[in-house]
Amino acid sequence: MGYLNHKQGYREELLETRSVIKKDNFALITPDGLVNNVVPGFEDCDMTILGSPRLGARFVDYLVTVKNQGGNKQGFGGNGIQTFVYVVYGAITAKVDGQSYDLTQGGYLYVPPHLQLTFENNNGGEDSRLFLYKKRYQEAENVGKPDIVVGNVNDIEPEAYEGMEEVLIQDLLPKSLEFDMNFHILSFKPGASHGYIETHVQEHGAYVLSGRGMYNLDKNWIPVDKGDYIFMGAYSPQATYAIGLDEPFAYIYSKDANRDIEL
Ligand code: UGY
Ligand code: MN
């Protein structure tokens, strides 16, 4: 069964998938094949683990559907693990260090590595969907610890990306050295593209929020759609052309930043 699309039982058509898994290189994970993973601490949540060290990532990404009474009261992250939550739809109340944060669609919260995140659904009985992330924080000499960051992408003015007006970028976290990673949203008008095929050491976990694209993942042109997840590993060549008629092709993604490589 595809737990997100609630399809159960035999299908009329032959079984097939658009997912492509190349461990330690790249992966496309489509919604139809996702299964429910039980993770201690998460109650009344359907969740699925997307990018993870088993795929070649140094972080873990999750897609979480939080039910009416659902959430995490036990605490997520802390003890060296930083966390980030983005509300795809719905509403939650998150708590960090005794402080509450109400997050609605487009809202996000970054929790530094010494603190834990708890949250509960706050969507009037309806489900909420979250894109959730954790990564071990990499310290750097003479660099302080990051603070909590709360925001909503609907309040962030997008900027032209690398000189292209049809490609817009939003930076969700400060660009300061305390942060060893950042989250961004890239949005391409149909027909727009990257300016070159990127080849870089940083890894990405990307969740497609809208539209469609043809994505070049290590020289394979692969169609991607809203709801898909893409892992791009270190040095994996990557770029996209947005396709479709009028909806922008947009995805939220993480990128490690501001650190040397440890030997
Ligand atoms: O920031 C980035 O590296 C971004 N442009 N990568 C990507 O969209 N695949
Ligand atoms: Mn990139």
Side-chain angles (χ1 to χ4, degrees):
M1 123 177 175
Y3 95 89
L4 276 182
N5 56 20
H6 305 294
K7 280 192 189 169
Q8 268 190 315
Y10 301 114
R11 295 193 181 178
E12 288 294 315
E13 66 279 13
L14 288 174
L15 297 178
E16 58 182 357
T17 183
R18 288 188 297 108
S19 294
V20 184
I21 308 295
K22 303 282 178 195
K23 282 188 187 164
D24 297 320
N25 185 358
F26 71 86
L28 170 71
I29 302 180
T30 60
D32 190 47
L34 297 180
V35 301
N36 193 11
N37 303 134
V38 174
V39 179
F42 291 83
E43 288 159 28
D44 279 317
C45 290
D46 282 348
M47 57 195 294
T48 202
I49 297 172
L50 298 164
S52 80
R54 296 193 188 169
L55 197 54
R58 291 176 310 141
F59 54 79
V60 184
D61 281 332
Y62 310 78
L63 193 63
V64 187
T65 308
V66 194
K67 310 280 185 187
N68 185 14
Q69 307 282 335
N72 186 321
K73 295 188 187 118
Q74 179 180 295
F76 180 63
N79 206 12
I81 306 293
Q82 58 195 332
T83 58
F84 179 93
V85 60
Y86 173 85
V87 180
V88 179
Y89 63 73
I92 59 164
T93 300
K95 227 183 218 179
V96 182
D97 208 16
Q99 174 82 37
S100 287
Y101 303 92
D102 288 328
L103 304 177
T104 52
Q105 185 277 320
Y108 63 88
L109 181 64
Y110 166 83
V111 183
H114 57 288
L115 296 174
Q116 284 202 316
L117 164 71
T118 61
F119 65 86
E120 59 186 25
N121 198 22
N122 185 14
N123 195 25
E126 301 290 312
D127 293 353
S128 297
R129 179 149 304 157
L130 312 177
F131 185 54
L132 186 65
Y133 164 97
K134 72 174 180 185
K135 178 179 166 290
R136 181 166 295 283
Y137 179 71
Q138 186 183 346
E139 306 209 349
E141 238 176 278
N142 301 320
V143 174
K145 285 265 178 1
D147 280 332
I148 294 170
V149 181
V150 62
N152 190 301
V153 298
N154 299 307
D155 302 327
I156 301 176
E157 196 59 40
E159 287 176 19
Y161 182 65
E162 298 191 346
M164 298 175 290
E165 297 293 332
E166 297 74 21
V167 186
L168 299 174
I169 188 155
Q170 293 169 298
D171 302 323
L172 277 53
L173 300 181
K175 283 184 169 169
S176 57
L177 282 183
E178 288 83 3
F179 293 85
D180 74 346
M181 44 73 69
N182 207 327
F183 263 87
H184 311 274
I185 292 181
L186 260 182
S187 178
F188 300 77
K189 277 194 186 162
S193 71
H194 284 86
Y196 51 94
I197 300 212
E198 299 175 3
T199 313
H200 54 63
V201 67
Q202 295 94 341
E203 301 169 357
H204 301 310
Y207 180 72
V208 181
L209 299 169
S210 72
R212 290 179 168 167
M214 286 303 294
Y215 223 106
N216 190 312
L217 295 164
D218 193 14
K219 301 202 175 120
N220 303 279
W221 285 105
I222 300 176
V224 303
D225 205 352
K226 179 176 172 175
D228 288 352
Y229 174 81
I230 311 169
F231 164 64
M232 295 169 242
Y235 303 107
S236 193
Q238 54 194 259
T240 193
Y241 286 103
I243 57 172
L245 295 178
D246 40 39
E247 206 186 9
F249 174 47
Y251 50 88
I252 182 169
Y253 68 99
S254 61
K255 182 173 186 175
D256 28 316
N258 301 325
R259 293 294 181 271
D260 196 0
I261 301 298
E262 285 179 356
L263 293 176

